[in-house]
Amino acid sequence: MRRFRGLSLLLAVLAALTALTVIIERRAGQELRSAEQALARNDTSGAIKHYGRCLNWYVPWGSAETAAERFLALGRSLAGQGREAEAVQALTRMRSGLYGARSLFTPRSDLIAEAEPLLARLRARQKLGPTASPAAVSKQAEIYLDLMRRPARPETGAAAAAAGGFFLWVLSTFFFIKRFFFQEQRSWARAWPWILVWAGGFGLWLWGMTWA
């Protein structure tokens, strides 16, 4: 009976994580479709908004990565058309969205590396104005590019703490339920340790999310 309950608990945890992943990916897919529909209507601001929202629902290899790729393509297209302000907005939102989704690693760092030189040049031209010489623009772009590349790596320790704390938080919840509600004689003495683990996991997750 105990083995059966342990297996049931494990399956419940896996089911909960799977359901969460499906929900996140479903929301990302909806935002991606909305962005594509906005582009079809030549609604650039709408496309940028929905691509950005899609990145908020990041799952590895999911719709958010497709959104990041199309964000980069959109930024390049806008820059080629001379619509520099919109290009800066698109590239900045793509970059910040990917950095916002980082944990133990930075997702699609290859796209960030491709976007940053163009974004630096566009920002340099915005700052110096249309009359600036190519040499001045190039020098300013190098300064911006150096600034952009400084936060390239996430804080691995804090990110690992956030991930570990989250799993402790979830697992301790299920073990508390098992120890307290699924016993013939409910015992707070057996359940209390899991409440402490829950509090520790939650605190570790909050600390990691703050400093990652």
Side-chain angles (χ1 to χ4, degrees):
M1 180 62 71
R2 290 183 178 179
R3 289 182 179 179
F4 175 76
R5 288 177 176 174
L7 180 60
S8 299
L9 180 63
L10 178 61
L11 291 175
V13 172
L14 292 175
L17 292 175
T18 301
L20 179 62
T21 302
V22 170
I23 291 171
I24 292 173
E25 175 57 23
R26 185 170 178 270
R27 292 295 300 269
Q30 291 173 347
E31 294 295 344
L32 180 61
R33 287 190 293 274
S34 296
E36 296 299 306
Q37 291 168 3
L39 275 183
R41 299 191 303 268
N42 293 319
D43 179 8
T44 303
S45 62
I48 292 173
K49 178 180 72 174
H50 289 291
Y51 278 141
R53 287 179 178 176
C54 184
L55 292 180
N56 293 337
W57 298 98
Y58 179 83
V59 171
W61 306 294
S63 298
E65 294 205 355
T66 303
E69 293 170 356
R70 295 180 183 174
F71 235 154
L72 178 58
L74 177 61
R76 286 173 168 168
S77 175
L78 292 169
Q81 298 171 36
R83 298 162 64 180
E84 295 186 354
E86 292 171 299
V88 167
Q89 185 182 4
L91 295 173
T92 300
R93 186 65 186 87
M94 185 212 77
R95 181 177 179 274
S96 63
L98 290 175
Y99 271 123
R102 68 182 182 175
S103 54
L104 296 176
F105 65 97
T106 301
R108 296 310 304 267
S109 57
D110 58 318
L111 298 181
I112 295 175
E114 289 183 46
E116 285 179 340
L118 174 57
L119 180 58
R121 287 197 299 273
L122 292 172
R123 283 182 168 173
R125 281 203 289 265
Q126 282 185 330
K127 177 179 176 62
L128 300 178
T131 59
S133 67
V137 171
S138 179
K139 183 177 180 179
Q140 185 63 44
E142 288 179 4
I143 295 173
Y144 281 143
L145 187 58
D146 179 62
L147 291 172
M148 289 179 193
R149 288 178 172 171
R150 287 181 184 178
R153 294 185 299 174
E155 181 57 50
T156 305
F166 176 78
F167 282 108
L168 280 177
W169 178 22
V170 173
L171 286 175
S172 61
T173 301
F174 282 100
F175 274 107
F176 171 78
I177 294 171
K178 178 178 181 294
R179 291 291 187 182
F180 188 72
F181 292 102
F182 289 89
Q183 301 295 324
E184 294 180 0
Q185 295 182 348
R186 295 181 179 178
S187 172
W188 278 105
R190 300 181 66 183
W192 262 111
W194 292 109
I195 295 178
L196 296 178
V197 174
W198 180 93
F202 183 71
L204 190 61
W205 174 75
L206 282 180
W207 180 86
M209 290 296 291
T210 301
W211 296 104

